[in-house]
Amino acid sequence: MSENHSETHPVCSAVVGLQWGDEGKGKVVDLLAATHDVVARYNGGANAGHSVVVQGQRFSLHLIPSGILYPSKLAVIGNGVVLDPDKLGQELDGLRARGVDTSGLIVSDRAHVVMPYHKAEDAAREDSLKSAREEAQAGSVSEIGTTRRGIGPAYAEKVQRAGAVRVGDLLRPESLKEKIGVAVATRRTSGLKLDPATLDEAKLLEWAIGAGELIRPMVQDTAYLLNNLVRAGKRILFESANGTLLDVDHGTYPFVTGSSCAIAGIGTGTGVPVQRVGRVVGVMKAYSTRVGAGPLPTELAGPGEAGAIGDRIRNRGREFGTTTGRPRRVGWLDLVAVRYSVMVNGITSIALTMLDVLAGMETVRVCTGYRVGGKVTDRFLPDAVSLGRAEPVYENLPGFADEIGAARIRRELPDRARAYVEFIESRVGVPVEIVSVGPDREQTITS
Ligand code: IMP
């Protein structure tokens, strides 16, 4: 039997979104990072947007793990991330200009690179899907509503393999030239209309070599690094990007992102086995939001009362995308969806965010089932066609009038706000460990 504590006892934690992204993971990662040694990102790319407010200063991070804001911690970008070197450079410059020490950032040599043609391709595909929708007018074809950050094309190239560029390749100009040549040649024959400037091989090579020089000091084999740290008893906090319902396998396909956002992505996206993760914190908002296309059964939209409630929540919650600035679609809390996400992630506790946004409403509605073809089910339907046909079945709860941003322990919440939290706990079957009642670090209830 091994004497090594970490071989038998999980020392790592994970933070994962239980809805369609934007659940407030940045704040929760920031809170939990205090008791961990390393924060590691395992999926996604610059499509994510994590906002953290530290001492009144708001930081918006897309690619760099939020752990970077703690000077003594390592912040690791794992192999499962698709890395846009331009965005990385901008984010590093922005952090350094505000006095943040970025020396703890480490990048996997096996992370795939988002190349300029991936971004061009993402936009061209979206544009052609949009035209197809407008021509068909049948609603069966639609653009995904991506962030146009090249995420899908970069992951597609990873799976296609031949022309894919990984961070390690950026440091080897000979093989880099060959790979770029393959990637450009396949695009020239693809039929997608891309700006020819994005397919200039000499310029691409020069850009990629420059990107390599930027990243070189941070590059490591992060699978060995992270596993050695675990063996040494260090605690890793895995930070998920996007949300479980955007997971390429478990989300509302095809209106999903290109990566494994649920915790199974930790194994593939870092090389650390998931059984090292003992604590899995699921982050959920007190209502639902979604950016881009795809079903949102509880959506509050339209010219009537529903739309007005949706507008109120959007404005109070500042529900505009951190990455693209798009207004987010808003809906009532969908517990069918949350229960499903809790199941596929093995969630051990919940962080409930944005509860303060619901203050001032007479009634709040919570979806606890779907009506499909005349029958009520409590099963989520992780497929866009089926979910698009589901009609929400609601339970109405009394709203809470008072502003709750000053509450610091659960007992300080008004009775009806506390009842809302308890309703979630009882229906989901997992304790709510953290309640966030405002954007600041201090506006958090943990007991
Ligand atoms: P992509 O990740 O840019 O390919 O976009 C695919 C879908 O995921 C679109 O509906 C995006 O709006 C959505 N999406 C991607 N990342 C996030 C996120 O961090 N928060 C919310 N939605 C996201």
Side-chain angles (χ1 to χ4, degrees), residues 64 68 71 73 75 91-97 99-106 218:
I64 299 179
I68 199 75
K73 319 252 175 216
E91 234 163 82
L92 281 170
D93 288 347
L95 287 169
R96 286 173 186 151
V100 176
D101 173 7
T102 57
S103 59
L105 182 65
I106 296 168
M218 307 164 210

Side-chain angles (χ1 to χ4, degrees), residues 56-70:
Q57 279 201 75
R58 179 177 284 270
F59 292 87
S60 288
L61 297 167
H62 299 283
L63 205 46
I64 299 179
S66 329
I68 199 75
L69 300 174
Y70 283 89

Side-chain angles (χ1 to χ4, degrees), residues 298-318:
T298 60
E299 185 157 15
L300 289 161
E305 196 199 341
I309 298 172
D311 288 344
R312 181 192 153 89
I313 295 178
R314 185 177 303 104
N315 292 329
R316 274 182 66 89
R318 283 182 290 159

Side-chain angles (χ1 to χ4, degrees), residues 20-22 47-49 144-147 151 242 246 256-257 291-292 326:
W20 285 274
D22 309 315
N47 52 351
I144 307 289
T146 73
T147 58
I151 307 299
N242 326 122
L246 293 171
V256 293
T257 187
V291 196
R326 290 180 286 181

Side-chain angles (χ1 to χ4, degrees), residues 138-212:
S140 57
V141 179
S142 164
E143 67 271 35
I144 307 289
T146 73
T147 58
R148 300 187 174 218
R149 293 283 162 96
I151 307 299
Y155 279 116
E157 190 117 52
K158 172 179 178 173
V159 176
Q160 282 160 350
R161 291 151 290 168
V165 176
R166 308 205 288 187
V167 164
D169 296 317
L170 295 177
L171 312 180
R172 292 186 291 259
E174 343 67 65
S175 63
L176 188 56
K177 188 167 190 292
E178 221 175 284
K179 281 166 187 275
I180 290 175
V182 172
V184 167
T186 50
R187 276 166 182 84
R188 289 233 160 91
T189 53
S190 77
L192 266 184
K193 281 190 220 116
L194 299 182
D195 176 357
T198 60
L199 297 180
D200 179 325
E201 284 184 54
K203 278 206 184 118
L204 284 166
L205 187 61
E206 194 189 326
W207 172 87
I209 290 172

